[in-house]
């Protein structure tokens, strides 16, 4: 199993994955006061099929969920598809209604 390290890189407005110190991929975003808009995900061809994209998506979405300050707007097709397969992230997607609370 390859050890993938994902870290935020706010100066470049992205989350970046590395393997053995080499950049393996990233997801770019735009920030507003209320949203983080994921615009583009890229995995270096040499690292495709090794779970890099999934590691980036999971880390970025977990980070957004943990801070609780913004909703996600997934314009990037990869992030959109990843969320559709990992439904536990749907509640942080912009435009998805909040679940009804018991009275």
């Amino acid at each position: 199993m390859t050890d993938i390290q994902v870290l935020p890189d706010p100066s470049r407005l992205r989350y970046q994955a590395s393997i053995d110190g080499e950049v393996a991929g990233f997801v770019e975003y735009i920030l507003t006061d209320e949203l983080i808009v994921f615009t583009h995900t890229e995995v270096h061809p040499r690292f495709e099929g090794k779970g890099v994209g999934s590691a980036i998506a999971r880390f970025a979405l977990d980070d957004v969920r943990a801070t609780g300050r913004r909703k996600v707007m997934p314009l990037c097709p990869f992030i959109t598809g990843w969320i559709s397969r990992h439904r536990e992230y749907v509640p942080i997607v912009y435009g998805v209604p909040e679940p009804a609370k018991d009275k």
Side-chain angles (χ1 to χ4, degrees):
M1 177 86 175
T2 306
D3 187 27
I4 302 167
Q5 182 180 24
V6 182
L7 294 171
D9 186 352
S11 67
R12 297 175 76 183
L13 295 175
R14 68 188 199 175
Y15 289 88
Q16 182 170 288
S18 60
I19 296 175
D20 296 328
E22 185 177 348
V23 175
F26 58 87
V27 62
E28 296 174 331
Y29 59 83
I30 299 168
L31 289 178
T32 72
D33 290 340
E34 299 167 352
L35 298 173
I36 181 166
V37 182
F38 289 109
T39 58
H40 177 70
T41 303
E42 191 170 314
V43 174
H44 189 284
R46 207 161 64 92
F47 297 106
E48 287 180 1
K50 298 182 188 272
V52 173
S54 289
I56 295 167
R58 184 176 307 280
F59 184 94
L61 293 168
D62 283 346
D63 190 49
V64 172
R65 184 167 49 188
T67 62
R69 292 188 4 226
R70 292 183 172 92
K71 289 285 195 172
V72 170
M73 181 178 284
L75 297 183
C76 167
F78 180 83
I79 298 294
T80 300
W82 199 89
I83 291 170
S84 73
R85 291 184 306 279
H86 299 87
R87 306 292 297 169
E88 65 271 23
Y89 293 97
V90 169
I92 64 171
V93 174
Y94 175 76
V96 174
E98 296 289 328
K101 295 185 181 183
D102 293 332
K103 294 182 180 184

